Every structure is written in structure tokens, then in C-alpha cells.
Amino acid sequence: MSNILLKRMISAVFSVSGFISAIEQNCLRNKAFVLMYHRILNPVDLQGLYVQPGMFVSSTSFAKQIAFLKDRFKLVFLEDLVKMVLAGDDVGGLCAITCDDGWRDNFTNAFPILEKYGVPATIFLATGLVNTNKTFWPEEICYYLERKIADKIAFDIAPSSYIRFSKEISRYHQCTRETFFDRSIEILKRYSPSDRDEILSRFRIMHKSYPATRQMMNWDEAREMLSSGLVRFGAHTVNHEILNQITLEKAHYEISKSRMDIEHNLGCKVGIFAYPNGNCTEELQNYLTESGFIAAVTTRKRFLTCGMPLMEIPRIPIHEDVSNTIPMFRARILFRNF
């Protein structure tokens, strides 16, 4: 029996028995929670495109989840939740919804659902990708691997980083498509940013183009969401750099420039930051505080309580394979290892 199927069965039993409702009421008596989404996709969006399971929920699942949250909890902007924590107010049972990166499907698929239910959300923008046809390197590398560009590159003229990467992923060529892509992404994550850029540059030379379809939102779409009063925006660096993998000077630029980009293009104040990949250090937290940010979010899965450091707010990652039923969604929120 697969782990996902087991979770589905356990969560269903918990739901029918009333156990999950009792745990929910007890756990959230004096705690809030912040949900972390990335992409909200329709089936047609997945055709000919590989998206890691941890990177999306279906629009159908998202609609069910939003309806459930609306019925059961008080939904607030993350910024307002932070202010309540700072004031020492009771935050029990409050929920804030966040989406990372600035994917176009947040506008086309998620935004209409937020409007339907009148639910607030915060979107963290990697501003260097807004208004462009660029995408993130995991999506880009899968685009090239899908087309077997690697097989066409002569090793005698390829950079050493590319040769090493090709050899490392070769052991997974006979695996399923999903396993091959996931392992390739995990391997490339361990490379330095400069080696990763060198590898991607080699793929671009061979393919002679970027993935063509625009996947990130533009500023007009962001303005429309902002004007609705239901969406606010936070900073998420310019280029989605993993901040503890680059120099402190470059990290400061990534943080401050992304904030400036949003404030310039949208005319709104930005006070909250999201660490790419959740990676943060004490030095980065100090810089954020000195720069006037009031809070920053991580990818650590915990509840939010008064007194918790606001430069490392935990969030609960929501993705399709472990939350595509409401019992699974509830269990995902309540249990750390679910």
C-alpha cells in the first residue's frame, strides 16, 4: 500500500469518527496557522508540462479547501495576523493564505476562487520573473530533459559541470518520468548557483530558446488582484536565489530590490518577506529587521503562536497528493508528519 493511500484511509477514519474535529478544536484554541501554496492548476495546465507534486494543487481541490476554510475559520491577511501577534491579541483559529513565486495561474485559477468566497491571500513575488517569459530553473530543466536535449550535446565541448550533471542523472534514465525529473531536480539543487547557471546556459544554447508559454504573472494582473482588496503582495527576492548560498551583499540586493520593484509597480507598501526554499540565517533576519520588514515566512511546518519570532514564521505546505480530500487537508494542517 502506498504512503499516500494510507494517509487517505487514516484521514477518512479520523474524519468519520469525529477524532479530527476534536483535535482541531483543541490544537487551534490559541494558535493560528499559515498555509503555503505555489501553483493552482487545471488539468489542461499539466498537459505536456511536468510539475512536481509538491508544487501545485488542482483548482478543484483549492476551491474545496477555500470553501472549507471559509466555513470553519476566520481568514485574515498575513500582515494583519502579524499585527495581532505583535499586539498580543488572541489568534486562536485564525488562518492566513499565502502563495509563493507569482505564478500566472494564481491570477487565472486561484484569484476567481478567492473572489467567489471573498477570501484574502498574500502572494510573494520573485520580481525578476514578473512580466517575463522566464520561469524557475526546476521547470526549465524539466522542459529540456523532456525533449532529450542532453543527448545531443557533445561532451568534448561541454563544461565540466554539465558533464557531471549528465552522469549523475544517467542512473535514473530507466525510471518513471516523474522519478527521473524529481531526482534530476534534487541533484541540481546541490550544485552551486554558478554551476547551475552554467548547466542551464548550455541547455539554452542547444535548444536556442526558453520555454515559450508565459508561466509567471505580469504587473497588470498583479494590479487587478491588488485593486480587488483581496490580494496583497510580499517580497520573495528578484531571482529566487537561495539566500544562504550567495554572498551577503548579493542577498541584501535580492531582498531590497524585490521590495522596491513591488512598491514601484504596484504602489503599495511591502512589509513581509518569504525566504526562497525557506532558507534563512540570523544575519538575514537582522537585515530584514533593519530594513523595516515586520515579518518573514519560512517553510517550516508548525502553528503560529504569540511570542514566536516573526522573522521565521512557520507555514504549512499544501500540495495535491497529500491534500486532495478535505479529511487529508485537515490532517495535513493538524499533524506535523502527515
Side-chain angles (χ1 to χ4, degrees):
M1 181 183 296
S2 72
N3 187 41
I4 299 298
L5 182 57
L6 183 61
K7 287 182 176 181
R8 181 187 292 269
M9 293 173 61
I10 291 172
S11 63
V13 171
F14 282 175
S15 181
V16 170
S17 68
F19 175 72
I20 203 165
S21 293
I23 294 293
E24 194 174 77
Q25 185 175 8
N26 183 63
C27 279
L28 299 175
R29 184 169 297 149
N30 59 355
K31 302 179 184 72
F33 60 100
V34 182
L35 300 182
M36 177 179 67
Y37 291 91
H38 286 85
R39 308 195 65 176
I40 313 299
L41 297 175
N42 294 319
V44 68
D45 299 322
L46 292 166
Q47 293 177 7
L49 176 70
Y50 179 70
V51 182
Q52 288 183 288
M55 282 295 294
F56 80 97
V57 300
S58 69
S59 53
T60 300
S61 294
F62 186 69
K64 290 178 181 177
Q65 292 165 8
I66 295 299
F68 169 78
L69 293 168
K70 174 78 172 181
D71 181 62
R72 199 154 185 103
F73 301 101
K74 182 177 180 183
L75 300 171
V76 297
F77 282 113
L78 177 58
E79 183 179 5
D80 295 340
L81 179 56
V82 167
K83 290 176 179 177
M84 292 179 70
V85 171
L86 286 170
D89 296 338
D90 179 17
V91 297
L94 298 185
C95 169
I97 294 168
T98 67
C99 299
D100 281 9
D101 302 334
W103 296 95
R104 185 168 183 257
D105 51 72
N106 288 184
F107 173 73
T108 57
N109 299 338
F111 183 45
I113 295 170
L114 296 174
E115 283 191 305
K116 177 180 177 179
Y117 291 99
V119 168
T122 300
I123 298 177
F124 291 101
L125 296 177
T127 57
L129 281 75
V130 178
N131 246 46
T132 75
N133 283 337
K134 296 178 182 178
T135 189
F136 293 98
W137 70 257
E139 284 70 30
E140 187 180 358
I141 200 69
C142 289
Y143 175 83
Y144 298 131
L145 293 176
E146 181 87 273
R147 287 150 182 80
K148 303 187 186 302
I149 299 298
D151 298 340
K152 304 174 185 177
I153 299 179
F155 273 15
D156 58 345
I157 59 171
S160 59
S161 58
Y162 174 83
I163 295 172
R164 179 160 59 98
F165 175 65
S166 295
K167 288 179 178 178
E168 285 193 78
I169 67 174
S170 64
R171 73 190 72 169
Y172 301 109
H173 280 162
Q174 302 307 314
C175 295
T176 65
R177 173 176 179 264
E178 290 75 14
T179 299
F180 174 57
F181 286 156
D182 285 343
R183 295 295 181 272
S184 298
I185 291 169
E186 290 306 313
I187 288 169
L188 201 52
K189 273 185 179 180
R190 299 196 294 267
Y191 282 58
S192 70
S194 59
D195 281 350
R196 200 158 53 228
D197 288 344
E198 189 175 56
I199 291 165
L200 287 168
S201 293
R202 188 65 194 175
F203 276 115
R204 289 170 194 147
I205 289 170
M206 289 304 300
H207 197 263
K208 299 179 181 177
S209 73
Y210 235 67
T213 305
R214 178 168 69 91
Q215 297 187 56
M216 312 308 295
M217 71 176 66
N218 61 35
W219 290 116
D220 286 339
E221 291 161 345
R223 290 186 197 98
E224 183 175 336
M225 286 189 280
L226 182 66
S227 67
S228 73
L230 291 173
V231 177
R232 295 179 186 174
F233 292 92
H236 195 37
T237 72
V238 179
N239 300 300
H240 205 267
E241 297 277 9
I242 308 301
L243 296 178
N244 62 351
Q245 295 181 356
I246 59 178
T247 66
L248 201 56
E249 181 181 10
K250 188 173 182 181
H252 290 176
Y253 166 82
E254 288 282 330
I255 293 168
S256 59
K257 180 65 164 58
S258 63
R259 181 191 208 174
M260 291 169 55
D261 287 343
I262 297 169
E263 293 184 343
H264 172 74
N265 284 282
L266 300 183
C268 61
K269 290 294 182 182
V270 175
I272 302 182
F273 182 79
Y275 304 101
N277 206 50
N279 295 32
C280 67
T281 65
E282 185 175 348
E283 287 178 311
L284 292 171
Q285 292 179 37
N286 290 338
Y287 179 74
L288 289 167
T289 301
E290 293 164 3
S291 300
F293 285 91
I294 62 171
V297 293
T298 68
T299 57
R300 297 168 192 155
K301 189 184 177 194
R302 295 174 61 189
F303 296 124
L304 175 62
T305 60
C306 287
M308 186 171 283
L310 292 177
M311 285 300 162
E312 44 185 323
I313 292 175
R315 291 187 292 172
I316 300 169
I318 303 297
H319 38 90
E320 181 70 10
D321 55 350
V322 295
S323 60
N324 58 18
T325 69
I326 291 302
M328 291 178 76
F329 178 61
R330 296 173 77 182
R332 177 73 177 170
I333 292 169
L334 293 173
F335 307 121
R336 186 173 297 185
N337 295 321
F338 200 92

